[in-house]
Amino acid sequence: MKLSQVKQILDSVEQVHFELTDGTKVPEHFHITEIGAITKKFIDCGGTIREEKIINFQLWTARDFDHRLKPQKMKDIISLSEKALSLEDASVEVEYQSDTIGRYDLDFAGGTFILQPKNTACLAQDHCGISAEQMPETKVKTSCCSPDAACC
């Protein structure tokens, strides 16, 4: 999800909610402690030099249980970050504490931002000698209670 999409969603919701794909909700008293611009320049195993630019949000919870981040306040934080960091309209990644600092892609469904697991991948498959049958299966836990599920 691009930063412009996040801002557009914030214009249409009354509350900000985040949830993992397994249905675990980020506590409502979360804070956004950082917004950053991350540029990663790297070389893949095929020798191609690549560059990736993302916008990073860090979610954090403390014991201030009465705290609630409203959509307008989140837009204000984003606006300040856009000006101070000259942010592009890049994809948004979210950091959130689980067993370690987890990095997630961002989606939106049913009025909630969904933290989607990120997966590693070979970007130069034609150089690795790995056939389609040898590629690892991607296993992502999902909640049965998605907006399209009939179980809820």
Side-chain angles (χ1 to χ4, degrees), residues 117-121 135-141:
K118 295 178 76 82
N119 296 297
T120 58
M135 296 300 292
E137 290 183 31
T138 302
K139 295 182 180 177
V140 176
K141 293 180 184 178

Side-chain angles (χ1 to χ4, degrees), residues 32-39 53-58 81 85 87 90-93:
I32 293 182
T33 56
E34 295 177 9
I35 292 183
I38 298 174
T39 301
K53 292 183 179 189
I54 60 168
I55 310 256
N56 179 272
F57 291 5
Q58 184 182 79
S81 301
L85 302 174
L87 296 181
S91 292
V92 174
E93 172 187 89

Side-chain angles (χ1 to χ4, degrees), residues 14-49:
E14 293 183 25
Q15 297 178 353
V16 182
H17 299 284
F18 287 89
E19 183 176 309
L20 297 166
T21 56
D22 69 359
T24 303
K25 295 181 184 337
V26 172
E28 292 181 338
H29 56 280
F30 75 91
H31 294 253
I32 293 182
T33 56
E34 295 177 9
I35 292 183
I38 298 174
T39 301
K40 177 181 170 183
K41 190 169 185 176
F42 59 100
I43 187 168
D44 68 26
C45 61
T48 302
I49 296 175

Side-chain angles (χ1 to χ4, degrees), residues 5-147:
Q5 293 171 293
V6 171
K7 294 188 308 184
Q8 188 175 37
I9 288 168
L10 291 172
D11 283 335
S12 68
V13 296
E14 293 183 25
Q15 297 178 353
V16 182
H17 299 284
F18 287 89
E19 183 176 309
L20 297 166
T21 56
D22 69 359
T24 303
K25 295 181 184 337
V26 172
E28 292 181 338
H29 56 280
F30 75 91
H31 294 253
I32 293 182
T33 56
E34 295 177 9
I35 292 183
I38 298 174
T39 301
K40 177 181 170 183
K41 190 169 185 176
F42 59 100
I43 187 168
D44 68 26
C45 61
T48 302
I49 296 175
R50 299 176 185 265
E51 186 171 287
E52 173 184 70
K53 292 183 179 189
I54 60 168
I55 310 256
N56 179 272
F57 291 5
Q58 184 182 79
L59 304 185
W60 178 73
T61 55
R63 289 183 284 220
D64 59 338
F65 300 109
D66 294 331
H67 178 271
R68 298 292 183 275
L69 184 64
K70 300 290 184 196
Q72 185 57 52
K73 178 64 175 177
M74 187 169 165
K75 281 187 65 178
D76 293 345
I77 294 168
I78 291 169
S79 178
L80 176 63
S81 301
E82 285 177 308
K83 291 174 189 160
L85 302 174
S86 301
L87 296 181
E88 298 176 14
D89 188 25
S91 292
V92 174
E93 172 187 89
V94 176
E95 287 183 2
Y96 180 63
Q97 186 73 44
S98 52
D99 295 337
T100 186
I101 298 173
R103 294 175 51 203
Y104 300 89
D105 284 328
L106 195 58
D107 200 358
F108 186 77
T112 300
F113 287 103
I114 309 296
L115 304 181
Q116 297 285 343
K118 295 178 76 82
N119 296 297
T120 58
C122 176
L123 300 177
Q125 292 179 14
D126 55 330
H127 289 81
C128 285
I130 304 294
S131 68
E133 296 81 35
Q134 294 172 310
M135 296 300 292
E137 290 183 31
T138 302
K139 295 182 180 177
V140 176
K141 293 180 184 178
T142 58
S143 170
C144 74
C145 294
S146 69

